[in-house]
Amino acid sequence: GNSVTQMEGPVTLSEEAFLTINCTYTATGYPSLFWYVQYPGEGLQLLLKATKADDKGSNKGFEATYRKETTSFHLEKGSVQVSDSAVYFCALTLSGGYNKLIFGAGTRLAVHP
Amino acid sequence: ETGVTQSPTHLIKTRGQQVTLRCSSQSGHNTVSWYQQALGQGPQFIFQYYREEENGRGNFPPRFSGLQFPNYSSELNVNALELDDSALYLCASSLELAGNNEQFFGPGTRLTVL
């Protein structure tokens, strides 16, 4: 079936460290891929997206590249800040039909000063 | 432009009761999806409404039902509540159905079933 697998957290980093959160997917067809972020006590916010192979999504210093050959969409940031502490969700929607999001389990990031 | 709003923010019910959660979609959006997020997990798709019709459903029993109104706001109803229904319920709206369209999420309703 269609699914998303993320690296388990929590990920604990010092401020200005490099961040990678791994995400791989299984899907039929050509999915669109997303990273959502959830800050404490809040709903989900779209961080970035990519709709076809080799696309790079970017926002607020975060980047992720849609790799069809490895079915991956890893999230990276060169220098994290304390304010980046949140839970990050990788997700996909399938081509055709309705835009149901299929989420990974989430990865909690804690950034310390 | 008003974002997605949900009410109530928190709710406490007992087993066997019924609950109604409400969602107002972002202005101009005609598609509303509902998700259940259990503690420590990713959101799970419940169902989606497009122009007042159910357009898709996840793996949830029939006691989870919904409505969409002409102004595209929506309700999620859960009958015969069970302890496992305790979760954050998220509503998301989008413009049309295309898979690459961004879904805008509300802050959620935290339901606790005792």
Side-chain angles (χ1 to χ4, degrees), chain B residues 24 30 34 42 44 48 57-58 64 68 78 85 95-97 109-110:
Chain B
S24 292
N30 56 19
W34 286 92
Q44 299 292 315
Q48 182 180 82
R57 190 177 182 91
F64 285 78
Q68 188 179 31
V78 187
D85 296 334
L95 182 60
E96 301 295 335
L97 294 173
T109 293
R110 173 75 61 188

Side-chain angles (χ1 to χ4, degrees), chain A residues 40-103:
Chain A
E42 298 185 13
L44 298 171
Q45 299 176 26
L46 179 65
L47 183 58
L48 53 85
K49 71 177 185 181
T51 58
K52 61 183 188 298
D54 299 325
D55 268 3
K56 178 186 280 188
S58 61
N59 186 27
K60 299 180 182 178
F62 291 89
E63 293 183 340
T65 300
Y66 188 145
R67 301 285 189 203
K68 189 171 185 296
E69 63 276 12
T70 55
T71 63
S72 65
F73 193 54
H74 305 321
L75 182 67
E76 296 182 336
K77 187 176 185 183
S79 176
V80 294
Q81 306 299 313
V82 172
S83 58
D84 294 327
S85 298
V87 181
Y88 292 81
F89 293 94
C90 185
L92 65 83
T93 58
L94 301 172
S95 56
Y98 55 97
N99 58 349
K100 153 188 163 180
L101 281 160
I102 298 170
F103 287 91

Side-chain angles (χ1 to χ4, degrees), chain A residues 23-39:
Chain A
C23 170
T24 58
Y25 66 90
T26 301
T28 54
Y30 302 95
S32 295
L33 302 175
F34 304 82
W35 277 100
Y36 280 84
V37 58
Q38 187 173 37
Y39 297 102

